[in-house]
Each structure stands twice: as structure tokens, then as C-alpha cells.
Amino acid sequence: MRRLIWRLTVAAMATVGVVALGGGTTHAESAPVAGAVAEAPAYGSFRLIKERAGTEPGAPEIVLPEGYSLVQGANYQVASKLEYYSFITGPKNTSVPVTVRWPGERIASVVSHKTRPALTRDEAAGTVTFSMPVTSTSASSAKNTLEVFSYLHRVPGTYFRLEHNDEERAAGYYADNPWVGKESRAAHNQLFAAEAVLIDSGLAAEAKARGHHWTLMGFETNNRLHPDNPPHWHLAYYPGAPFSANGNLPHLWLDPKGRTIKNSMDVAGLGHINYAPGEVAPVRLMDGSNVATLTMRTKDGGLDIDPGQGRPVYSIIGGLARDNLSNAVRVLKDGRPWLWLSTYDNVKTGELYVHKADLSALRWTTLRYNYDAQIGTLKNLETLADWSAADLKAQGRSLPELMAAPPAPPAAS
């Protein structure tokens, strides 16, 4: 990319340096930014979000104050069809001004560390200016700007984090390969199913009593600082708080039908263990005793969860076709139908729908999680439907009909 240097017309920014992507940094004579102190370099990050996605990724021009610079490397300056994210470094400061010019694009908003800085627009110069913190100790510790996920449910003994993946934000591996929308939905379906199993089986309550946690997570598709591929989901166990030491961390790999094809499991004290379909993967405490076992099913690509102690074995399989978990899943309890579940995540509006059929009580539930579409922060949870068997009969509905075609979601309130 040729070197780009342009003249600022904003008087307040007359003493900043121009960062031309690919062309180095040019600084004007200036005084240090107020509040900056001489110490080890600090780091910060921001995401520029365009009003509309382009057909190809593009890069803006970024202007930083004297003493600040871009963190170099392909993982730190990343373009997608909808966004551009950048990491900067310099003296520690809670409010560093940044000016951006992006010819041909209009910036709708900016995200920096889970907040949206206010934008000042200069239409004549074609620039936007905002202030952001540069306070992290490393670029890696500033990556929360890139993370778009919601914390859900908070059931004692569990930690549930759901990633919201958008094709137009895809970067790295996920931009270079066919889009994984089916795998992402399959991960969501199985995460909610696994949470229901943890609650019903007593595994969540047992973890809570021990001071332990089951951790439910999916995968990210835009974060080049976290190469989170291929598509997978996690049903992990930590003998302490989430992400504490001595954990059991399965990576349950998914194919386009949402079938689990490999369990790449990190086990404290034993290292990395790969399990193939049909092989029993124990989830252990540090004394070697089993908490539960996970077994990938060979015929349909589902997952068996055995809580032990003579309790029922739960099987997560496809919702309609047994070997397709991307649209919906069923959960069998000792081989008998127990639960049906389907999710739909509208990442543009920030609405996650969860349709659930209790096959033993003949009850239908639809939930809507409303979240910040650009950050992931959960706003609220609404119950859109909660129909008993009597309600279904009165409405002339049946669970098979609802499972085949869940009701269309209403407009967000």
C-alpha cells in the first residue's frame, strides 16, 4: 500500500502524527498527551464498524498522537467486510485521541474495550475522532475489544458463554474458508442442550457443592489473537473458578452437519489427548476419580454424557434427522425422548431465539435473549411462549408441528 499522508484540518489535532498503514509513521512536533507518564508501553485496541459491509475488506488511514504507534503484524491490524480492528501502543493513558479517515466508507460506530466512544465527525475533512484507553499491559490483554459474546443463565456450578459469529466480521481462518454458519448454530444448539443436561442430571449442583464449574463455550470467528479453529464447542470442567488450573477442556470438533467428529481434550497433568468417536473420554478430578464421561456417538455424530452413579445417560443427537444437529437437536434420557431444542441467532439485530420442547411434559417454550449486537452484552431475556399441553390443545397446535416449523419470531420490543 502506498504511503498516505494527509493534512488535518481539525485544529485540536494539529500536533498529532499520521499513521499510514503500510507506510510507517510521520510525527509533527508536539507536546506529550496530557496525563501520559513515562513507563513501560501500554496497549489498547478499537474496532471500526462501517455503516454497511463491503464486498472486500478495506483499510482506513489512522492518525495517532505523538508517542503512539500501531502494533505491527497481521494479527493486530485486521480488515473484514464490515469492520477494521487495530491495536496501538504507547504511554499509559485513559484517554488517547484517535482520528480516522476512510475514503469511500462511513464509520457507523467504534468499539473499544466493551464501550462505544463518542465520535466527533468533520464532514469537510472526512474524518472521525474519538478517545480510547491505552492501559493494557500487552496487546493480548487488550483483545476484549474483539470479543462478541454473551454470558447466559449463570446457573450455580456453570459458566455459560455464547459467541455471536457474523460472516461479515470473519477474519483469518474463517475469512479464508467457506463460512461456518451451520457449525456455529450447531454449537449453540448443543450448548443449550448440554446446559439442560448439567441441570437435570445434578452435575451442575455437584460442581457447585465442590466449588467447581462446568464451562460452556463456543468458538470465535473474528479474533486473530485467538486462532479458534476448526469449529468446535466446549463442555469443560474446572475444579475451581472458570479457567482455573487443573481443568478438563474438551474441544468438540464439528462438521457442517454439526456432528461431533473429534474430541481434542486438554487435561491437567496429562497434557493433550485426542479421542475418536466411540472412545470414552473421562472428565476427572485431580484425585483421578470421574465426574462424568463424554463419548462421541459413531452412528449419528451426537454426544453421550454419562454422569455416572447409576444415573441416566443423556444423548444429544440431531433434532429431525438423527445425524444433523445444525438446525435442531434432541436429547435422549436413557434412550427415551426427553428434550428438543433449536436456536436462531440474529447477529444483526442482537436477538437470540431458543425454542424448546419438553417431550416428557409436552410443553413448548420460546425465549428471546436481547443483546448488544456489536459487543454481546446481554440486555434482557423475554419469554415469548410458554405453552402447556392444555394450551397447545386449545390453540390447535402440536409439538411435532412446532418442531417442524417453529413460529416466526415477533418484532423486537
Side-chain angles (χ1 to χ4, degrees), residues 88-132:
I88 67 175
T89 184
K92 186 175 182 179
N93 197 310
T94 58
S95 184
V96 174
V98 177
T99 294
V100 176
R101 181 172 181 266
W102 203 340
E105 300 289 357
R106 184 171 178 85
I107 297 170
S109 62
V110 175
V111 171
S112 181
H113 303 276
K114 303 301 183 183
T115 65
R116 280 193 192 80
L119 300 182
T120 300
R121 298 184 186 273
D122 185 328
E123 300 292 354
T127 65
V128 296
T129 300
F130 59 93
S131 293
M132 58 168 284

Side-chain angles (χ1 to χ4, degrees), residues 155-158 202-214 237-240 285:
V155 173
T158 70
L203 287 172
E206 290 173 355
K208 168 63 176 175
R210 298 187 187 107
H212 297 178
H213 278 82
W214 289 92
Y237 188 83
Y238 291 97
L285 298 175

Side-chain angles (χ1 to χ4, degrees), residues 127-208:
T127 65
V128 296
T129 300
F130 59 93
S131 293
M132 58 168 284
V134 179
T135 55
S136 299
T137 57
S138 66
S140 180
S141 63
K143 70 178 185 297
N144 66 339
T145 294
L146 316 182
E147 297 169 340
V148 185
F149 55 70
S150 300
Y151 294 111
L152 305 179
H153 284 189
R154 302 183 185 275
V155 173
T158 70
Y159 169 99
F160 190 176
R161 191 181 88 183
L162 193 103
E163 288 75 9
H164 303 288
N165 296 321
D166 184 349
E167 182 177 8
E168 293 177 339
R169 279 199 302 263
Y173 172 94
Y174 291 105
D176 297 337
N177 290 281
W179 178 237
V180 292
K182 292 181 178 180
E183 293 92 329
S184 182
R185 186 175 181 186
H188 290 180
N189 291 340
Q190 293 178 77
L191 285 165
F192 276 98
E195 185 201 37
V197 169
L198 294 176
I199 296 168
D200 189 74
S201 65
L203 287 172
E206 290 173 355
K208 168 63 176 175

Side-chain angles (χ1 to χ4, degrees), residues 364-376:
W364 178 271
T365 307
T366 296
L367 304 176
R368 178 168 64 195
Y369 295 83
N370 299 297
Y371 64 91
D372 187 310
Q374 295 176 352
I375 298 175

Side-chain angles (χ1 to χ4, degrees), residues 257-343:
K257 284 189 173 183
R259 297 174 296 194
T260 305
I261 56 176
K262 182 179 180 179
N263 180 357
S264 181
M265 190 167 176
D266 296 321
V267 182
L270 297 176
H272 191 77
I273 305 174
N274 288 323
Y275 293 94
E279 295 180 340
V280 177
V283 178
R284 296 190 179 99
L285 298 175
M286 288 306 293
D287 63 8
S289 60
N290 280 8
V291 174
T293 62
L294 309 178
T295 306
M296 294 175 290
R297 296 166 61 91
T298 56
K299 291 185 177 181
D300 52 38
L303 182 71
D304 288 339
I305 303 172
D306 185 353
Q309 302 178 35
R311 289 174 288 186
V313 175
Y314 296 80
S315 303
I316 302 174
I317 64 173
L320 297 177
R322 292 177 68 97
D323 66 344
N324 191 328
L325 297 87
S326 63
N327 291 324
V329 296
R330 277 179 292 160
V331 183
L332 309 179
K333 188 173 179 179
D334 267 350
R336 294 184 295 274
W338 175 61
L339 183 70
W340 176 96
L341 192 145
S342 178
T343 65

Side-chain angles (χ1 to χ4, degrees), residues 32-45:
V33 177
V37 296
E39 55 184 25
Y43 296 81
S45 58

